[in-house]
């Protein structure tokens, strides 16, 4: 998933205090976040566990899986604050800002799927 440096640092700030990252044998939180974000962005064979393990010089694919799961768990702890369906007023505003003749009443787009 592409993020700016500022966005990465904000995500990192959310993650660093999470107790899930307190085991001494783990990679740094910033490295784990970078690996997970890379996996979220890449598709096809480049996203395979062995490919990511090789790219980030991790000994085995199990580390990649654990890191990804750990980041997802940490992110989900913030879902209620950052991921929510807009209320009626917000939905109308978003729809007005994004509507065109091809996307009437569209309030979002995820992976090329329009949400109405």
């Amino acid at each position: 998933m592409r993020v700016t440096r500022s966005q990465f640092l904000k995500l990192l700030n959310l993650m660093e205090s999470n107790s899930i990252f307190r085991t001494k044998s783990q990679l740094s939180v910033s490295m784990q976040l970078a690996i997970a974000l890379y996996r979220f962005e890449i598709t096809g064979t480049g996203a395979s566990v062995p490919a990511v393990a090789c790219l980030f010089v991790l000994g085995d694919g199990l580390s990649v899986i654990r890191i990804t799961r750990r980041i997802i768990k940490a992110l989900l702890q913030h879902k209620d604050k950052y991921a929510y369906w807009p209320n009626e007023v917000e939905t109308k505003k978003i729809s007005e800002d994004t509507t065109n003749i091809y996307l009437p009443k569209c309030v979002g787009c995820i992976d090329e799927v329009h949400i109405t």
Side-chain angles (χ1 to χ4, degrees):
M1 171 183 279
R2 290 182 187 259
V3 295
T4 65
R5 181 174 179 81
S6 172
Q7 292 166 334
F8 182 87
L9 292 173
K10 285 179 185 177
L11 285 171
L12 183 59
N13 188 45
L14 286 175
M15 304 283 125
E16 286 183 315
S17 62
N18 194 306
S19 62
I20 201 167
F21 300 108
R22 297 237 171 99
T23 305
K24 291 183 181 182
S25 62
Q26 293 180 28
L27 293 172
S28 69
V29 180
S30 62
M31 185 59 139
Q32 292 183 64
L33 180 58
I35 291 166
L37 291 174
Y38 177 82
R39 283 197 75 203
F40 298 157
E41 176 187 7
I42 300 302
T43 60
T45 56
S48 72
V49 170
V52 174
C54 183
L55 178 67
F56 287 95
V57 194
L58 299 172
D60 61 3
L62 190 56
S63 297
V64 173
I65 293 167
R66 286 182 182 145
I67 287 167
T68 305
R69 287 180 180 164
R70 199 176 294 129
I71 291 294
I72 290 170
K73 284 181 184 179
L75 286 171
L76 285 175
Q77 291 178 2
H78 300 281
K79 71 179 179 356
D80 293 335
K81 183 174 180 182
Y82 296 103
Y84 61 92
W85 193 255
N87 64 34
E88 191 174 332
V89 173
E90 292 169 321
T91 300
K92 185 175 182 196
K93 172 88 170 92
I94 293 166
S95 179
E96 288 170 355
D97 290 347
T98 61
T99 296
N100 64 43
I101 60 171
Y102 302 109
L103 301 172
K105 300 184 181 183
C106 180
V107 293
C109 179
I110 300 172
D111 198 22
E112 299 180 19
V113 175
H114 302 113
I115 303 166
T116 56

